[in-house]
Each structure stands twice: as C-alpha cells, then as structure tokens.
Amino acid sequence: MNILVAATSVAAVAFLLLSSNQNIPESVKPGSSAALFALGTAGFLVVSSVLALLRVKFSRWLMLAAALIFFGILGFQSLALLVSSGASLPAGATPKLWANVIRNTLEIAINAWALLSAKASTFFMGNRPNQSSEADGSAAAQL
C-alpha cells in the first residue's frame, strides 16, 4: 500500500514538473523546494517500505516514521485548508478535503497497526534472508 501510494505521488510530481501541457497552469506546478520535499518524503516511504519487506534491522521504525511524515503532511495540508478557508471554499471541496483527512488518518492507523502488532514483531524477529541458522534445517546447518 505504501509503495503504491508513494510511487503514485512521485509520478504525479514528475508529471507536473516535466509536462509541457499548456492546460496545466503554472500555479499548479510545484517549485523546486516543494518538489524536492514531495519527492523526498515519497521516496523515503518507498525505500523504507522495501527495506521493511526485506526485514532489514530498524526498517519497520523507519517505515513507521516515513508513513507518519508522508501521510501526516498530506492530512495536515487538507485540514489546514479546511480551517483557513472556511466558507470561501468552492462547492463540493469541503467533503473531499474531509475525506482526505480521514483517509490519511486511516493510512497512519493501518501502518501503526501493521508495524506494531505481535505478528509484525514475529516477522521482524525471524531469520533475515542473508542469515543462516542451525535451527532452520538448512543445508549449511546439516554440514
């Protein structure tokens, strides 16, 4: 889930930066610092998620931090726009912004649940792919 959402974010920022489409207003295109920040947070989420799948030491904590940063910023942006704009928002924007806040809160909750559960602890405590153990019955242990 994290990899797909963050990769979509990377693709969207790259499209906005590289597109020569005249229908995209310049005000929508991110500046260099905003683009670097968006690509950095999304990239951090992708890399930490891949490392967590590979059971790299401390990667689950990196992944949790990356999810908090990535989804927290997205949720905060929507909430800040709701609070600051109030009644001046276009019709139909308020429910969409609330949906973004709720979705990003759920993304954080899902990551916390998945990474802090007992099954996750068992997964991360298990043998790493590059380690061999005498208890696992591998060919190296039998020699």
Side-chain angles (χ1 to χ4, degrees):
M1 170 183 74
N2 288 346
I3 295 170
L4 182 62
V5 171
T8 303
S9 179
V10 168
V13 171
F15 174 76
L16 288 174
L17 290 175
L18 301 174
S19 178
S20 60
N21 188 340
Q22 300 300 325
N23 294 328
I24 300 174
E26 287 297 318
S27 62
V28 173
K29 294 184 178 183
S32 59
S33 60
L36 282 174
F37 188 75
L39 293 172
T41 56
F44 179 40
L45 184 57
V46 169
V47 169
S48 64
S49 297
V50 169
L51 291 175
L53 288 173
L54 296 174
R55 296 185 198 177
V56 173
K57 191 173 186 178
F58 299 112
S59 61
R60 100 167 134 163
W61 304 114
L62 286 175
M63 183 175 154
L64 185 58
L68 286 170
I69 292 167
F70 183 80
F71 295 115
I73 289 172
L74 291 176
F76 177 76
Q77 286 176 337
S78 296
L79 188 60
L81 188 57
L82 277 166
V83 171
S84 68
S85 297
S88 64
L89 287 171
T94 300
K96 290 179 183 179
L97 288 170
W98 277 115
N100 283 339
V101 170
I102 292 167
R103 186 188 76 241
N104 287 303
T105 304
L106 286 172
E107 298 274 5
I108 290 170
I110 289 168
N111 275 282
W113 171 72
L115 293 169
L116 300 175
S117 70
K119 286 189 179 192
S121 294
T122 303
F123 174 78
F124 286 104
M125 295 263 187
N127 290 334
R128 307 246 187 314
N130 58 354
Q131 294 177 341
S132 64
S133 171
E134 292 182 12
D136 70 354
S138 66
Q142 294 173 359
L143 294 176

